[in-house]
């Protein structure tokens, strides 16, 4: 998985609780992305980062926030989890120039 | 924003036959088109990509074609093998931070 780890790999949480997912890369790539994968929707971009402390919204950003304090780490936070955020979350990285994106192994999140 | 449609949603072929998956995109500014293979429980894996300055690209048994005028691109897998069974996703990008818009996926089953 191109030097990308995600933690935790599985999580079950209750509605209304905060949740933070972590993506860690060892490739020193500039761009990092968070996607969610749901049946019938493919992968949809939540947020992305184009450098330390530089982030922007994707197409499904409501209810999510992100932070990137170091090149290698990109955090996704659900401030108050809802059942609609039950999904598989994937992190991806890109060097930028080549445009190729490489994905991590994913985190399965269940909100009960 | 960009919209990517992918067909068929499921495809069953016999081992040794060819498989073709088609995608259309809406944004004429899109200029990068990757294809991903996803096996059960894993993250998407980049298998081939094409940029808008070429019409076809081939890598062993897989090839991708691009028709910019019609705004569609296709994945061709020849001499299919059981290990080709997976879900395949197409995607498109206009280049801005390499953000990808994905199709909804095709589940390919290769039967013996």
């Amino acid at each position: 998985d191109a030097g990308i780890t995600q933690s935790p790999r599985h999580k079950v949480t209750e509605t209304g609780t905060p949740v933070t997912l972590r993506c860690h890369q060892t490739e020193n790539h500039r761009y990092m992305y968070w996607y969610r994968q749901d049946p019938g929707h493919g992968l949809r971009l939540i947020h992305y980062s184009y450098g330390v402390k530089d982030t922007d919204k994707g197409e499904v950003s409501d209810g999510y926030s992100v932070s990137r304090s170091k090149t290698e780490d990109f955090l996704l936070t659900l401030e108050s989890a809802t059942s609609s955020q039950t999904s598989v979350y994937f992190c991806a990285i890109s060097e930028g120039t080549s445009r190729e994106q490489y994905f991590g192994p994913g985190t399965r999140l269940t909100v009960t | 924003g960009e919209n990517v449609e992918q067909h068929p949603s499921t495809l069953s072929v016999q081992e040794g036959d060819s498989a073709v998956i088609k995608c259309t995109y809406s944004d004429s500014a899109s200029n990068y088109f990757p294809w991903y293979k996803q096996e059960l429980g894993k993250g998407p894996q980049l298998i081939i990509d094409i940029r808008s300055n070429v019409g076809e690209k081939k890598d062993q048994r897989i090839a991708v074609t691009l028709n910019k005028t019609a705004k569609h691109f296709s994945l061709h897998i020849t001499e299919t093998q059981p290990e080709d069974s997976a879900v395949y996703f197409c995607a498109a990008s206009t280049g801005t931070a390499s953000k990808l818009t994905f199709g909804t996926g095709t589940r390919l089953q290769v039967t013996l």
Side-chain angles (χ1 to χ4, degrees), chain A residues 10-39:
Chain A
H10 302 271
K11 186 171 182 65
V12 179
T13 191
E14 293 185 349
T15 298
T17 60
V19 177
T20 296
L21 309 182
R22 180 183 185 236
C23 177
H24 179 80
Q25 61 145 329
T26 57
E27 306 295 324
N28 199 36
H29 282 1
R30 177 184 176 189
Y31 292 90
M32 299 185 75
Y33 311 82
W34 278 108
Y35 292 87
R36 61 177 288 175
Q37 184 174 37
D38 304 290

PDB file of all heavy atoms in Angstrom, chain A residues 10-39:
ATOM      1  N   HIS A  10     -10.524  -0.770  12.205  1.00  0.00           N
ATOM      2  CA  HIS A  10     -11.952  -0.970  12.451  1.00  0.00           C
ATOM      3  C   HIS A  10     -12.322  -0.182  13.700  1.00  0.00           C
ATOM      4  O   HIS A  10     -11.539  -0.126  14.647  1.00  0.00           O
ATOM      5  CB  HIS A  10     -12.275  -2.450  12.691  1.00  0.00           C
ATOM      6  CG  HIS A  10     -11.885  -3.340  11.556  1.00  0.00           C
ATOM      7  ND1 HIS A  10     -12.721  -3.615  10.506  1.00  0.00           N
ATOM      8  CD2 HIS A  10     -10.740  -4.005  11.299  1.00  0.00           C
ATOM      9  CE1 HIS A  10     -12.115  -4.421   9.661  1.00  0.00           C
ATOM     10  NE2 HIS A  10     -10.914  -4.677  10.112  1.00  0.00           N
ATOM     11  N   LYS A  11     -13.532   0.410  13.665  1.00  0.00           N
ATOM     12  CA  LYS A  11     -14.004   1.121  14.852  1.00  0.00           C
ATOM     13  C   LYS A  11     -15.514   1.113  14.860  1.00  0.00           C
ATOM     14  O   LYS A  11     -16.153   1.350  13.832  1.00  0.00           O
ATOM     15  CB  LYS A  11     -13.489   2.557  14.885  1.00  0.00           C
ATOM     16  CG  LYS A  11     -13.854   3.283  16.191  1.00  0.00           C
ATOM     17  CD  LYS A  11     -13.161   4.606  16.302  1.00  0.00           C
ATOM     18  CE  LYS A  11     -13.510   5.289  17.630  1.00  0.00           C
ATOM     19  NZ  LYS A  11     -12.988   4.527  18.783  1.00  0.00           N
ATOM     20  N   VAL A  12     -16.067   0.859  16.042  1.00  0.00           N
ATOM     21  CA  VAL A  12     -17.501   0.974  16.275  1.00  0.00           C
ATOM     22  C   VAL A  12     -17.689   2.047  17.324  1.00  0.00           C
ATOM     23  O   VAL A  12     -17.034   2.030  18.370  1.00  0.00           O
ATOM     24  CB  VAL A  12     -18.110  -0.358  16.763  1.00  0.00           C
ATOM     25  CG1 VAL A  12     -19.605  -0.188  17.008  1.00  0.00           C
ATOM     26  CG2 VAL A  12     -17.855  -1.474  15.755  1.00  0.00           C
ATOM     27  N   THR A  13     -18.557   3.001  17.040  1.00  0.00           N
ATOM     28  CA  THR A  13     -18.772   4.098  17.964  1.00  0.00           C
ATOM     29  C   THR A  13     -20.251   4.428  18.028  1.00  0.00           C
ATOM     30  O   THR A  13     -21.030   3.972  17.192  1.00  0.00           O
ATOM     31  CB  THR A  13     -17.962   5.334  17.549  1.00  0.00           C
ATOM     32  OG1 THR A  13     -17.978   6.295  18.598  1.00  0.00           O
ATOM     33  CG2 THR A  13     -18.537   5.969  16.294  1.00  0.00           C
ATOM     34  N   GLU A  14     -20.622   5.216  19.009  1.00  0.00           N
ATOM     35  CA  GLU A  14     -22.028   5.580  19.176  1.00  0.00           C
ATOM     36  C   GLU A  14     -22.310   6.951  18.571  1.00  0.00           C
ATOM     37  O   GLU A  14     -21.438   7.820  18.520  1.00  0.00           O
ATOM     38  CB  GLU A  14     -22.389   5.577  20.663  1.00  0.00           C
ATOM     39  CG  GLU A  14     -22.355   4.176  21.273  1.00  0.00           C
ATOM     40  CD  GLU A  14     -22.834   4.179  22.719  1.00  0.00           C
ATOM     41  OE1 GLU A  14     -22.978   5.273  23.293  1.00  0.00           O
ATOM     42  OE2 GLU A  14     -23.047   3.081  23.257  1.00  0.00           O
ATOM     43  N   THR A  15     -23.540   7.136  18.162  1.00  0.00           N
ATOM     44  CA  THR A  15     -23.979   8.425  17.636  1.00  0.00           C
ATOM     45  C   THR A  15     -23.680   9.538  18.630  1.00  0.00           C
ATOM     46  O   THR A  15     -23.909   9.387  19.845  1.00  0.00           O
ATOM     47  CB  THR A  15     -25.490   8.387  17.351  1.00  0.00           C
ATOM     48  OG1 THR A  15     -25.746   7.393  16.360  1.00  0.00           O
ATOM     49  CG2 THR A  15     -25.987   9.720  16.846  1.00  0.00           C
ATOM     50  N   GLY A  16     -23.127  10.631  18.120  1.00  0.00           N
ATOM     51  CA  GLY A  16     -22.852  11.793  18.956  1.00  0.00           C
ATOM     52  C   GLY A  16     -21.449  11.846  19.523  1.00  0.00           C
ATOM     53  O   GLY A  16     -21.044  12.883  20.075  1.00  0.00           O
ATOM     54  N   THR A  17     -20.673  10.787  19.384  1.00  0.00           N
ATOM     55  CA  THR A  17     -19.310  10.789  19.921  1.00  0.00           C
ATOM     56  C   THR A  17     -18.335  11.302  18.875  1.00  0.00           C
ATOM     57  O   THR A  17     -18.559  11.143  17.670  1.00  0.00           O
ATOM     58  CB  THR A  17     -18.884   9.392  20.371  1.00  0.00           C
ATOM     59  OG1 THR A  17     -18.939   8.508  19.241  1.00  0.00           O
ATOM     60  CG2 THR A  17     -19.805   8.858  21.448  1.00  0.00           C
ATOM     61  N   PRO A  18     -17.245  11.917  19.319  1.00  0.00           N
ATOM     62  CA  PRO A  18     -16.219  12.353  18.365  1.00  0.00           C
ATOM     63  C   PRO A  18     -15.324  11.176  17.958  1.00  0.00           C
ATOM     64  O   PRO A  18     -15.083  10.273  18.757  1.00  0.00           O
ATOM     65  CB  PRO A  18     -15.441  13.400  19.156  1.00  0.00           C
ATOM     66  CG  PRO A  18     -15.607  12.997  20.581  1.00  0.00           C
ATOM     67  CD  PRO A  18     -16.956  12.337  20.696  1.00  0.00           C
ATOM     68  N   VAL A  19     -14.866  11.200  16.721  1.00  0.00           N
ATOM     69  CA  VAL A  19     -14.008  10.132  16.199  1.00  0.00           C
ATOM     70  C   VAL A  19     -12.894  10.759  15.373  1.00  0.00           C
ATOM     71  O   VAL A  19     -13.148  11.689  14.589  1.00  0.00           O
ATOM     72  CB  VAL A  19     -14.807   9.165  15.291  1.00  0.00           C
ATOM     73  CG1 VAL A  19     -13.882   8.110  14.707  1.00  0.00           C
ATOM     74  CG2 VAL A  19     -15.946   8.511  16.057  1.00  0.00           C
ATOM     75  N   THR A  20     -11.677  10.274  15.549  1.00  0.00           N
ATOM     76  CA  THR A  20     -10.550  10.722  14.729  1.00  0.00           C
ATOM     77  C   THR A  20      -9.887   9.536  14.077  1.00  0.00           C
ATOM     78  O   THR A  20      -9.545   8.558  14.747  1.00  0.00           O
ATOM     79  CB  THR A  20      -9.527  11.503  15.563  1.00  0.00           C
ATOM     80  OG1 THR A  20     -10.125  12.699  16.051  1.00  0.00           O
ATOM     81  CG2 THR A  20      -8.310  11.879  14.714  1.00  0.00           C
ATOM     82  N   LEU A  21      -9.735   9.630  12.764  1.00  0.00           N
ATOM     83  CA  LEU A  21      -9.025   8.622  11.988  1.00  0.00           C
ATOM     84  C   LEU A  21      -7.687   9.198  11.563  1.00  0.00           C
ATOM     85  O   LEU A  21      -7.586  10.381  11.222  1.00  0.00           O
ATOM     86  CB  LEU A  21      -9.845   8.217  10.760  1.00  0.00           C
ATOM     87  CG  LEU A  21     -11.302   7.811  11.003  1.00  0.00           C
ATOM     88  CD1 LEU A  21     -11.941   7.383   9.685  1.00  0.00           C
ATOM     89  CD2 LEU A  21     -11.420   6.736  12.045  1.00  0.00           C
ATOM     90  N   ARG A  22      -6.666   8.329  11.555  1.00  0.00           N
ATOM     91  CA  ARG A  22      -5.325   8.788  11.235  1.00  0.00           C
ATOM     92  C   ARG A  22      -4.800   8.131   9.969  1.00  0.00           C
ATOM     93  O   ARG A  22      -4.985   6.937   9.753  1.00  0.00           O
ATOM     94  CB  ARG A  22      -4.377   8.499  12.388  1.00  0.00           C
ATOM     95  CG  ARG A  22      -2.924   8.942  12.146  1.00  0.00           C
ATOM     96  CD  ARG A  22      -2.046   8.558  13.311  1.00  0.00           C
ATOM     97  NE  ARG A  22      -0.676   9.059  13.161  1.00  0.00           N
ATOM     98  CZ  ARG A  22       0.405   8.283  13.190  1.00  0.00           C
ATOM     99  NH1 ARG A  22       0.284   6.984  13.377  1.00  0.00           N
ATOM    100  NH2 ARG A  22       1.607   8.814  13.063  1.00  0.00           N
ATOM    101  N   CYS A  23      -4.138   8.937   9.165  1.00  0.00           N
ATOM    102  CA  CYS A  23      -3.427   8.436   7.998  1.00  0.00           C
ATOM    103  C   CYS A  23      -1.966   8.832   8.132  1.00  0.00           C
ATOM    104  O   CYS A  23      -1.669  10.008   8.394  1.00  0.00           O
ATOM    105  CB  CYS A  23      -4.009   9.027   6.718  1.00  0.00           C
ATOM    106  SG  CYS A  23      -3.145   8.525   5.212  1.00  0.00           S
ATOM    107  N   HIS A  24      -1.079   7.871   7.945  1.00  0.00           N
ATOM    108  CA  HIS A  24       0.346   8.118   8.075  1.00  0.00           C
ATOM    109  C   HIS A  24       1.060   7.619   6.825  1.00  0.00           C
ATOM    110  O   HIS A  24       0.839   6.496   6.382  1.00  0.00           O
ATOM    111  CB  HIS A  24       0.893   7.397   9.314  1.00  0.00           C
ATOM    112  CG  HIS A  24       2.371   7.572   9.504  1.00  0.00           C
ATOM    113  ND1 HIS A  24       2.923   8.711  10.052  1.00  0.00           N
ATOM    114  CD2 HIS A  24       3.413   6.754   9.208  1.00  0.00           C
ATOM    115  CE1 HIS A  24       4.240   8.581  10.094  1.00  0.00           C
ATOM    116  NE2 HIS A  24       4.561   7.409   9.601  1.00  0.00           N
ATOM    117  N   GLN A  25       1.919   8.448   6.247  1.00  0.00           N
ATOM    118  CA  GLN A  25       2.664   8.052   5.049  1.00  0.00           C
ATOM    119  C   GLN A  25       4.161   8.177   5.279  1.00  0.00           C
ATOM    120  O   GLN A  25       4.618   9.023   6.058  1.00  0.00           O
ATOM    121  CB  GLN A  25       2.261   8.930   3.854  1.00  0.00           C
ATOM    122  CG  GLN A  25       2.559  10.408   4.065  1.00  0.00           C
ATOM    123  CD  GLN A  25       2.973  11.145   2.812  1.00  0.00           C
ATOM    124  OE1 GLN A  25       3.584  10.570   1.908  1.00  0.00           O
ATOM    125  NE2 GLN A  25       2.663  12.446   2.757  1.00  0.00           N
ATOM    126  N   THR A  26       4.907   7.321   4.588  1.00  0.00           N
ATOM    127  CA  THR A  26       6.369   7.358   4.694  1.00  0.00           C
ATOM    128  C   THR A  26       7.001   7.752   3.358  1.00  0.00           C
ATOM    129  O   THR A  26       8.205   7.598   3.179  1.00  0.00           O
ATOM    130  CB  THR A  26       6.904   5.982   5.129  1.00  0.00           C
ATOM    131  OG1 THR A  26       6.478   4.990   4.193  1.00  0.00           O
ATOM    132  CG2 THR A  26       6.411   5.619   6.520  1.00  0.00           C
ATOM    133  N   GLU A  27       6.192   8.259   2.429  1.00  0.00           N
ATOM    134  CA  GLU A  27       6.668   8.570   1.076  1.00  0.00           C
ATOM    135  C   GLU A  27       7.034  10.045   0.897  1.00  0.00           C
ATOM    136  O   GLU A  27       7.522  10.432  -0.162  1.00  0.00           O
ATOM    137  CB  GLU A  27       5.589   8.198   0.042  1.00  0.00           C
ATOM    138  CG  GLU A  27       5.092   6.770   0.140  1.00  0.00           C
ATOM    139  CD  GLU A  27       6.185   5.773  -0.180  1.00  0.00           C
ATOM    140  OE1 GLU A  27       7.013   6.057  -1.068  1.00  0.00           O
ATOM    141  OE2 GLU A  27       6.226   4.705   0.480  1.00  0.00           O
ATOM    142  N   ASN A  28       6.754  10.864   1.878  1.00  0.00           N
ATOM    143  CA  ASN A  28       7.035  12.310   1.801  1.00  0.00           C
ATOM    144  C   ASN A  28       6.299  12.984   0.642  1.00  0.00           C
ATOM    145  O   ASN A  28       6.802  13.937   0.035  1.00  0.00           O
ATOM    146  CB  ASN A  28       8.547  12.562   1.665  1.00  0.00           C
ATOM    147  CG  ASN A  28       8.919  13.982   2.040  1.00  0.00           C
ATOM    148  OD1 ASN A  28       8.341  14.564   2.953  1.00  0.00           O
ATOM    149  ND2 ASN A  28       9.883  14.550   1.340  1.00  0.00           N
ATOM    150  N   HIS A  29       5.090  12.463   0.335  1.00  0.00           N
ATOM    151  CA  HIS A  29       4.298  13.053  -0.738  1.00  0.00           C
ATOM    152  C   HIS A  29       3.590  14.303  -0.254  1.00  0.00           C
ATOM    153  O   HIS A  29       3.143  14.389   0.892  1.00  0.00           O
ATOM    154  CB  HIS A  29       3.279  12.048  -1.251  1.00  0.00           C
ATOM    155  CG  HIS A  29       3.869  11.020  -2.177  1.00  0.00           C
ATOM    156  ND1 HIS A  29       5.211  10.990  -2.505  1.00  0.00           N
ATOM    157  CD2 HIS A  29       3.299  10.007  -2.856  1.00  0.00           C
ATOM    158  CE1 HIS A  29       5.441   9.993  -3.332  1.00  0.00           C
ATOM    159  NE2 HIS A  29       4.286   9.379  -3.564  1.00  0.00           N
ATOM    160  N   ARG A  30       3.426  15.252  -1.169  1.00  0.00           N
ATOM    161  CA  ARG A  30       2.847  16.556  -0.817  1.00  0.00           C
ATOM    162  C   ARG A  30       1.340  16.470  -0.554  1.00  0.00           C
ATOM    163  O   ARG A  30       0.821  17.091   0.356  1.00  0.00           O
ATOM    164  CB  ARG A  30       3.112  17.548  -1.942  1.00  0.00           C
ATOM    165  CG  ARG A  30       2.492  18.902  -1.710  1.00  0.00           C
ATOM    166  CD  ARG A  30       2.696  19.831  -2.885  1.00  0.00           C
ATOM    167  NE  ARG A  30       2.010  21.106  -2.680  1.00  0.00           N
ATOM    168  CZ  ARG A  30       1.874  22.029  -3.625  1.00  0.00           C
ATOM    169  NH1 ARG A  30       2.366  21.829  -4.833  1.00  0.00           N
ATOM    170  NH2 ARG A  30       1.242  23.160  -3.353  1.00  0.00           N
ATOM    171  N   TYR A  31       0.624  15.708  -1.414  1.00  0.00           N
ATOM    172  CA  TYR A  31      -0.829  15.709  -1.337  1.00  0.00           C
ATOM    173  C   TYR A  31      -1.336  14.491  -0.555  1.00  0.00           C
ATOM    174  O   TYR A  31      -0.830  13.380  -0.714  1.00  0.00           O
ATOM    175  CB  TYR A  31      -1.440  15.656  -2.746  1.00  0.00           C
ATOM    176  CG  TYR A  31      -1.221  16.897  -3.572  1.00  0.00           C
ATOM    177  CD1 TYR A  31      -0.105  17.016  -4.386  1.00  0.00           C
ATOM    178  CD2 TYR A  31      -2.136  17.948  -3.527  1.00  0.00           C
ATOM    179  CE1 TYR A  31       0.113  18.148  -5.142  1.00  0.00           C
ATOM    180  CE2 TYR A  31      -1.932  19.089  -4.288  1.00  0.00           C
ATOM    181  CZ  TYR A  31      -0.815  19.182  -5.095  1.00  0.00           C
ATOM    182  OH  TYR A  31      -0.612  20.307  -5.833  1.00  0.00           O
ATOM    183  N   MET A  32      -2.354  14.745   0.262  1.00  0.00           N
ATOM    184  CA  MET A  32      -3.035  13.661   0.967  1.00  0.00           C
ATOM    185  C   MET A  32      -4.539  13.887   0.873  1.00  0.00           C
ATOM    186  O   MET A  32      -4.995  15.041   0.836  1.00  0.00           O
ATOM    187  CB  MET A  32      -2.590  13.575   2.436  1.00  0.00           C
ATOM    188  CG  MET A  32      -1.088  13.284   2.582  1.00  0.00           C
ATOM    189  SD  MET A  32      -0.551  13.028   4.289  1.00  0.00           S
ATOM    190  CE  MET A  32      -1.186  11.384   4.637  1.00  0.00           C
ATOM    191  N   TYR A  33      -5.282  12.789   0.834  1.00  0.00           N
ATOM    192  CA  TYR A  33      -6.715  12.861   0.581  1.00  0.00           C
ATOM    193  C   TYR A  33      -7.452  11.918   1.528  1.00  0.00           C
ATOM    194  O   TYR A  33      -6.955  10.850   1.880  1.00  0.00           O
ATOM    195  CB  TYR A  33      -7.041  12.414  -0.851  1.00  0.00           C
ATOM    196  CG  TYR A  33      -6.204  13.065  -1.927  1.00  0.00           C
ATOM    197  CD1 TYR A  33      -4.926  12.587  -2.219  1.00  0.00           C
ATOM    198  CD2 TYR A  33      -6.686  14.147  -2.667  1.00  0.00           C
ATOM    199  CE1 TYR A  33      -4.152  13.163  -3.204  1.00  0.00           C
ATOM    200  CE2 TYR A  33      -5.923  14.732  -3.656  1.00  0.00           C
ATOM    201  CZ  TYR A  33      -4.655  14.235  -3.924  1.00  0.00           C
ATOM    202  OH  TYR A  33      -3.898  14.819  -4.903  1.00  0.00           O
ATOM    203  N   TRP A  34      -8.690  12.275   1.844  1.00  0.00           N
ATOM    204  CA  TRP A  34      -9.611  11.369   2.534  1.00  0.00           C
ATOM    205  C   TRP A  34     -10.830  11.144   1.642  1.00  0.00           C
ATOM    206  O   TRP A  34     -11.458  12.105   1.182  1.00  0.00           O
ATOM    207  CB  TRP A  34     -10.066  11.937   3.873  1.00  0.00           C
ATOM    208  CG  TRP A  34      -9.113  11.721   4.997  1.00  0.00           C
ATOM    209  CD1 TRP A  34      -8.320  12.649   5.612  1.00  0.00           C
ATOM    210  CD2 TRP A  34      -8.857  10.486   5.675  1.00  0.00           C
ATOM    211  NE1 TRP A  34      -7.587  12.078   6.620  1.00  0.00           N
ATOM    212  CE2 TRP A  34      -7.895  10.743   6.677  1.00  0.00           C
ATOM    213  CE3 TRP A  34      -9.347   9.191   5.536  1.00  0.00           C
ATOM    214  CZ2 TRP A  34      -7.425   9.748   7.541  1.00  0.00           C
ATOM    215  CZ3 TRP A  34      -8.876   8.205   6.385  1.00  0.00           C
ATOM    216  CH2 TRP A  34      -7.914   8.489   7.370  1.00  0.00           C
ATOM    217  N   TYR A  35     -11.139   9.863   1.406  1.00  0.00           N
ATOM    218  CA  TYR A  35     -12.323   9.464   0.659  1.00  0.00           C
ATOM    219  C   TYR A  35     -13.192   8.574   1.552  1.00  0.00           C
ATOM    220  O   TYR A  35     -12.708   7.903   2.445  1.00  0.00           O
ATOM    221  CB  TYR A  35     -11.945   8.637  -0.573  1.00  0.00           C
ATOM    222  CG  TYR A  35     -11.204   9.379  -1.661  1.00  0.00           C
ATOM    223  CD1 TYR A  35      -9.813   9.484  -1.628  1.00  0.00           C
ATOM    224  CD2 TYR A  35     -11.884   9.950  -2.729  1.00  0.00           C
ATOM    225  CE1 TYR A  35      -9.124  10.145  -2.637  1.00  0.00           C
ATOM    226  CE2 TYR A  35     -11.202  10.611  -3.746  1.00  0.00           C
ATOM    227  CZ  TYR A  35      -9.822  10.700  -3.690  1.00  0.00           C
ATOM    228  OH  TYR A  35      -9.155  11.358  -4.692  1.00  0.00           O
ATOM    229  N   ARG A  36     -14.484   8.533   1.239  1.00  0.00           N
ATOM    230  CA  ARG A  36     -15.351   7.536   1.833  1.00  0.00           C
ATOM    231  C   ARG A  36     -15.922   6.669   0.721  1.00  0.00           C
ATOM    232  O   ARG A  36     -16.142   7.148  -0.403  1.00  0.00           O
ATOM    233  CB  ARG A  36     -16.464   8.161   2.671  1.00  0.00           C
ATOM    234  CG  ARG A  36     -17.426   9.061   1.964  1.00  0.00           C
ATOM    235  CD  ARG A  36     -18.520   9.552   2.909  1.00  0.00           C
ATOM    236  NE  ARG A  36     -19.473   8.496   3.257  1.00  0.00           N
ATOM    237  CZ  ARG A  36     -20.454   8.631   4.136  1.00  0.00           C
ATOM    238  NH1 ARG A  36     -20.620   9.773   4.778  1.00  0.00           N
ATOM    239  NH2 ARG A  36     -21.273   7.621   4.383  1.00  0.00           N
ATOM    240  N   GLN A  37     -16.130   5.391   1.030  1.00  0.00           N
ATOM    241  CA  GLN A  37     -16.653   4.455   0.044  1.00  0.00           C
ATOM    242  C   GLN A  37     -17.944   3.856   0.552  1.00  0.00           C
ATOM    243  O   GLN A  37     -17.972   3.233   1.625  1.00  0.00           O
ATOM    244  CB  GLN A  37     -15.645   3.351  -0.257  1.00  0.00           C
ATOM    245  CG  GLN A  37     -16.115   2.401  -1.353  1.00  0.00           C
ATOM    246  CD  GLN A  37     -15.055   1.390  -1.750  1.00  0.00           C
ATOM    247  OE1 GLN A  37     -14.301   0.891  -0.928  1.00  0.00           O
ATOM    248  NE2 GLN A  37     -14.990   1.088  -3.038  1.00  0.00           N
ATOM    249  N   ASP A  38     -18.999   4.015  -0.229  1.00  0.00           N
ATOM    250  CA  ASP A  38     -20.317   3.493   0.117  1.00  0.00           C
ATOM    251  C   ASP A  38     -20.872   2.740  -1.086  1.00  0.00           C
ATOM    252  O   ASP A  38     -20.633   3.147  -2.233  1.00  0.00           O
ATOM    253  CB  ASP A  38     -21.266   4.632   0.497  1.00  0.00           C
ATOM    254  CG  ASP A  38     -20.717   5.484   1.620  1.00  0.00           C
ATOM    255  OD1 ASP A  38     -20.657   4.983   2.748  1.00  0.00           O
ATOM    256  OD2 ASP A  38     -20.333   6.639   1.357  1.00  0.00           O
ATOM    257  N   PRO A  39     -21.639   1.696  -0.855  1.00  0.00           N
ATOM    258  CA  PRO A  39     -22.233   0.932  -1.972  1.00  0.00           C
ATOM    259  C   PRO A  39     -23.029   1.849  -2.897  1.00  0.00           C
ATOM    260  O   PRO A  39     -23.821   2.675  -2.453  1.00  0.00           O
ATOM    261  CB  PRO A  39     -23.145  -0.062  -1.250  1.00  0.00           C
ATOM    262  CG  PRO A  39     -22.543  -0.224   0.098  1.00  0.00           C
ATOM    263  CD  PRO A  39     -21.984   1.117   0.452  1.00  0.00           C
TER     264      PRO A  39
END
